[in-house]
Amino acid sequence: MKIVVTGGAGFIGGNFIYYLLEHRPEDEIVCYDALSYAGNLETLAAAMKNPKFKFVKGDITNRTAVNTLFAVEKPDVIVNFAAESHVDRSIEQPDLFLRTNIMGTGVLLDACRQYGIGRYHQVSTDEVYGDLPLDRPDLFFTETTNLHTSSPYSASKASADLLVQAYHRTYDLPVTISRCSNNYGPYHFPEKLIPLMIVNALEDKKLPVYGAGANVRDWLYVEDHCAAILQILEKGRVGEVYNVGGHNERTNISVVRTILQELGKPESLIEYVADRKGHDRRYAIDPTKMQEELGWAPATSFADGIRRTVEWYRTHEAWWRHIINGEYQNYYERMYGHRAKLEYARI
Ligand code: NAD
Ligand code: TYD
């Protein structure tokens, strides 16, 4: 079987490629990635040595390039990770998110129709459900929760999901969708909360916590997400949505404190800064369908996962240093340079 992984030079796609090479050694894997700021060939360096793996540089919004990919590779399965993925960047520049996340998905779906496909899998997010109140711990996102987005990022991901479902209903395209909670682990670009805090702490720089740090995210170790996607490909029902998460909710400030403890760094590094616009309060996945229908459950506890992640960043300094020494410096200055600092009581 030949599996094309779009966006495989990014965080989750890269981890998924390693997961496939290990768990599906007979399959041929093609990574198709435009190498945006978030795509990194260093992430795929070890995969490049595997004869079952091939990298093709290309943009999912480029119809000609995507059609050529399908004509040449004749994939059996497409797993689409390619996206603009950072909420803060979507607040700065929404149009890029509409182009890649919506139009790009449309181009891939058209190619699937034209050339035929065994399965198109869309890697989506729990953010399409909007947020939950902080004072209702009894509420969770299920697959039937209404789409109710907050950011240009989540709106673009929800739009893509609707398009995927429309192509299933209208053209009978064999699709599946997974909506996962926040991931963490190796190869995570250091603009997102966990890797940013680890890298800053390693450098004894301030850790910018938005608002009071009371927002809640539901964290899943990236390998567990990869396992879930493979199970959906192997056993999932066509046309279905699957929520992926492991009931691991934490406030941002508690995550930051855990990272500081792991690294033996002082809490004085924490700096409360102006909140994100439209900041979603709480995400929380109900993974019952994944568990009952596919027998999936996360294998990694947060305590183990965060320890492994911190250790990975400690031992892969060259990987993140190449990122933070490049164009990323301009982003960091834009995002944090002039951000107001806040005084907060500890929560
Ligand atoms: P990422 O930003 O680390 O990687 C995105 C990858 O897509 C990069 O390699 C980039 O070069 C590539 N890409 C961007 N635009 C492209 C284009 N036009 N054509 C081809 N490739 C392009 O993102 P990630 O965190 O690995 O997320 C991957 C997917 O998983 C996204 O669709 C995201 O919405 C979804 N997701 C992420 C999380 C999370 O916690 N990170 C959680 C749930 C779902
Ligand atoms: P992020 O990793 O951007 O993921 P998402 O917003 O898609 O869930 O952010 C996770 C949480 O951490 C979110 O509530 C915003 C917060 N955050 C900070 O407090 N400081 C930061 O510098 C960043 C990047 C995020």
Side-chain angles (χ1 to χ4, degrees):
M1 175 176 289
K2 188 177 276 190
I3 305 176
V4 166
V5 178
T6 58
F11 164 47
I12 311 176
N15 277 282
F16 186 65
I17 284 170
Y18 287 112
Y19 192 85
L20 283 181
L21 290 172
E22 186 184 340
H23 294 270
R24 299 278 297 227
E26 302 306 316
D27 291 341
E28 287 179 69
I29 315 298
V30 178
C31 171
Y32 182 80
D33 195 299
L35 297 180
S36 75
Y37 79 92
N40 188 347
L41 279 186
E42 287 181 41
T43 297
L44 296 174
M48 294 288 191
K49 296 180 191 137
N50 190 316
K52 292 283 190 186
F53 176 76
K54 179 155 106 182
F55 178 80
V56 178
K57 183 172 186 298
D59 194 315
I60 58 166
T61 65
N62 182 337
R63 206 171 277 277
T64 310
V66 167
N67 286 346
T68 304
L69 173 81
F70 274 70
V72 172
E73 300 296 343
K74 300 181 178 56
D76 301 293
V77 172
I78 300 278
V79 184
N80 180 28
F81 292 91
E84 288 294 332
S85 68
H86 191 33
V87 172
D88 291 326
R89 287 186 192 254
S90 83
I91 295 167
E92 269 198 315
Q93 200 190 348
D95 59 320
L96 184 55
F97 285 68
L98 310 193
R99 197 172 73 84
T100 294
N101 298 0
I102 307 174
M103 300 304 291
T105 298
V107 169
L108 291 174
L109 292 168
D110 282 338
C112 290
R113 276 185 67 205
Q114 191 176 334
Y115 293 88
I117 198 76
R119 176 74 67 82
Y120 175 91
H121 182 77
Q122 178 74 358
V123 181
S124 187
T125 164
D126 60 357
E127 300 191 29
V128 299
Y129 299 120
D131 65 350
L132 297 164
L134 291 174
D135 60 357
R136 289 292 307 274
D138 56 314
L139 296 181
F140 297 93
F141 299 136
T142 72
E143 288 80 358
T144 55
T145 301
N146 287 338
L147 302 189
H148 188 80
T149 56
S150 315
S151 69
Y153 163 68
S154 55
S156 69
K157 292 295 291 184
S159 306
D161 284 10
L162 292 174
L163 211 50
V164 172
Q165 288 173 319
Y167 275 60
H168 172 63
R169 168 90 184 240
T170 308
Y171 306 114
D172 214 16
L173 210 66
V175 307
T176 39
I177 297 175
S178 53
R179 294 184 179 144
C180 190
S181 61
N182 286 63
N183 285 211
Y184 67 102
Y187 304 114
H188 203 177
F189 195 90
E191 66 186 352
K192 306 279 171 62
L193 179 75
I194 287 183
L196 183 130
M197 297 299 161
I198 296 174
V199 165
N200 279 14
L202 282 169
E203 297 213 290
D204 294 310
K205 281 168 56 178
K206 289 288 185 189
L207 310 190
V209 172
Y210 297 165
N215 301 59
V216 170
R217 296 293 182 267
D218 185 359
W219 294 97
L220 185 74
Y221 193 63
V222 62
E223 206 173 276
D224 285 322
H225 185 188
C226 296
I229 294 171
L230 186 55
Q231 291 203 19
I232 295 168
L233 291 178
E234 289 175 346
K235 299 185 285 183
R237 283 182 296 138
V238 161
E240 291 292 313
V241 172
Y242 293 90
N243 279 359
V244 182
H247 283 303
N248 181 44
E249 291 176 52
R250 289 169 198 261
T251 60
N252 293 337
I253 191 64
S254 80
V255 169
V256 171
R257 288 199 180 117
T258 303
I259 291 168
L260 287 171
Q261 277 160 16
E262 285 295 327
L263 287 167
K265 298 282 184 176
E267 290 206 1
S268 56
L269 288 179
I270 295 172
E271 181 167 74
Y272 295 95
V273 299
D275 210 347
R276 173 185 279 172
K277 290 189 176 74
H279 198 170
D280 278 339
R281 293 159 296 175
R282 169 175 169 250
Y283 302 143
I285 283 274
D286 175 352
T288 306
K289 184 172 174 181
M290 277 300 295
Q291 287 168 348
E292 292 186 352
E293 212 178 289
L294 304 184
W296 173 89
T300 307
S301 68
F302 189 69
D304 283 349
I306 201 75
R307 200 167 303 128
R308 278 156 71 175
T309 305
V310 165
E311 192 51 26
W312 190 87
Y313 281 85
R314 223 203 297 256
T315 52
H316 291 75
E317 188 174 332
W319 183 89
W320 54 263
R321 213 165 265 296
H322 289 167
I323 294 171
I324 65 169
N325 287 345
E327 167 60 22
Y328 179 66
Q329 275 178 4
N330 299 332
Y331 166 82
Y332 202 87
E333 182 52 30
R334 268 200 334 274
M335 193 58 67
Y336 297 100
H338 307 287
R339 206 166 186 129
K341 314 287 181 275
L342 305 175
E343 292 302 328
Y344 276 101
R346 285 167 63 101
I347 61 164

